[in-house]
Amino acid sequence: MELRYLETGFNPAAFNMGLDEAILNAVAEGRQPPTLRFYGWKPRAVSIGYFQGIEDEVDGAACARLGVDIVRRVTGGGAVYHADELTYSIVLPEAHDLARGTILDSYKTICAGVVEGLRILGIAAEFAPLNDVVAEGKKLSGNAQTRKRSCLLQHGTVLLSVDVDEMFELLKVPSEKMKGKLIEDVKARVSSVSAMLCRDFGYKEALPAFREGFAKALSASLAAGEPSEAELDDARRLAIEKFGERSWVSKR
Amino acid sequence: MTGSYVGKAKGGKLIRLELSWTMDRIDALRLRGDFFAHPEDGFEAVEASLPGCLLTELGAAFARGIAERGVTVFGLLPEDLDDAAQAIVAAASG
């Protein structure tokens, strides 16, 4: 089984979400094969889940002050601070072997790529339903999935390092009174590849490990390619007309 | 009357419910949180169908709606909406 493999580097949040959707459009229309993509975020960004409220979750003034993008995902789940991480997305037709079974089945199937990538790095991790990957009881990866146009899109993050205090400068919490305790809880529950390996571990080093991890776990050969011009045009259009639009960001 | 609720759902996720109601019937509702629903637009159709139902039947109406539209929800249970509505009404009643 073959997957197209893309490394698209670091881009702004609206473009990143636009390219994920552009790839979904291309796969849905049969213009491109099932695709695995790795990417990063520049500038850093906060993404919120489809059903979240921007005013509830994000300190817009802090993001503006620190030059952090804000975007709403097409997938559910919680707010994520995208800083030092490797992000992947995978787009498959719903009829594809890797997308078969229940939604939970497909989360587990695809997250196996993250688990295997971590194993290659010497970190024993496991899938934690519904949508996390954990090691030593701590979250290293969050994942989110949607199904549109008879395709599955799943994207997820692998935390390479994490600064919880910086994260909470940008994210709001339900109760300011409880903020200190919440920060301590998150520090106890979340880790990173760098923390697990006790050394700095960066994006460039992560790419080959997770490329191999996904190929092995999904039993896929990865055919390296580039996004087509049509996909890039669609991504730029979506970045402007959808993901960068206030009406989308403030949708709920 | 109006009110809002923020809390951890039994389904596992954080939910935020805003309600306005007259007598025992819901006039408007906004539901937000870090839950998942597939398909997302099916969930929104269910959400849009809830105004008009009785406060005491919010969870049942939600359950019926997602079943009818084939929506799969993770992290949020129908009873979470009943719990949230009860908390809102209790707070409004002083």
Side-chain angles (χ1 to χ4, degrees), chain A residues 50-51 251-252, chain B residues 17-20 26-32 35 37 39-53 58 61-66 68-69 71 76 81:
Chain A
Y50 182 82
F51 294 107
K251 180 178 163 67
R252 294 183 76 90
Chain B
L17 178 64
E18 291 173 11
L19 276 182
S20 65
I26 293 171
D27 297 322
L29 163 152
R30 289 179 71 198
L31 181 58
R32 302 186 299 280
F35 48 85
E40 292 83 359
D41 53 1
F43 181 93
E44 288 174 322
V46 174
E47 188 184 13
S49 74
L50 295 174
C53 83
L58 178 57
F62 176 74
R64 203 164 45 246
I66 62 172
E68 285 171 1
R69 289 177 170 83
V71 178
L76 169 67
L81 297 186

Side-chain angles (χ1 to χ4, degrees), chain A residues 162-237:
Chain A
V162 63
D163 185 335
V164 175
D165 293 311
E166 186 175 81
M167 184 167 80
F168 278 99
E169 279 184 48
L170 305 166
L171 301 181
K172 289 183 182 172
V173 294
S175 160
E176 279 298 318
K177 209 166 59 177
M178 300 291 286
K179 188 167 184 172
K181 182 180 183 310
L182 191 62
I183 290 173
E184 291 312 307
D185 285 351
V186 171
K187 283 179 177 174
R189 286 189 292 108
V190 174
S191 188
S192 69
V193 175
S194 294
M196 290 275 169
L197 297 180
C198 301
R199 68 178 178 86
D200 287 340
F201 185 87
Y203 181 90
K204 281 188 179 168
E205 211 176 348
L207 275 173
F210 287 93
R211 175 179 180 160
E212 184 186 343
F214 271 84
K216 188 170 177 190
L218 306 186
S219 301
S221 61
L222 303 182
E226 299 288 335
S228 68
E229 278 307 313
E231 285 173 304
L232 291 172
D233 286 345
D234 199 21
R236 290 184 200 108
R237 178 187 64 76

Side-chain angles (χ1 to χ4, degrees), chain A residues 174 182 189, chain B residues 5-16 34 75-77 79-81 83-84:
Chain A
L182 191 62
R189 286 189 292 108
Chain B
Y5 169 89
V6 181
K8 190 89 167 173
K10 289 194 184 92
K13 300 295 187 181
L14 187 81
I15 63 165
R16 299 172 187 270
D34 57 354
L76 169 67
L77 301 172
E79 66 203 73
D80 291 321
L81 297 186
D83 292 346

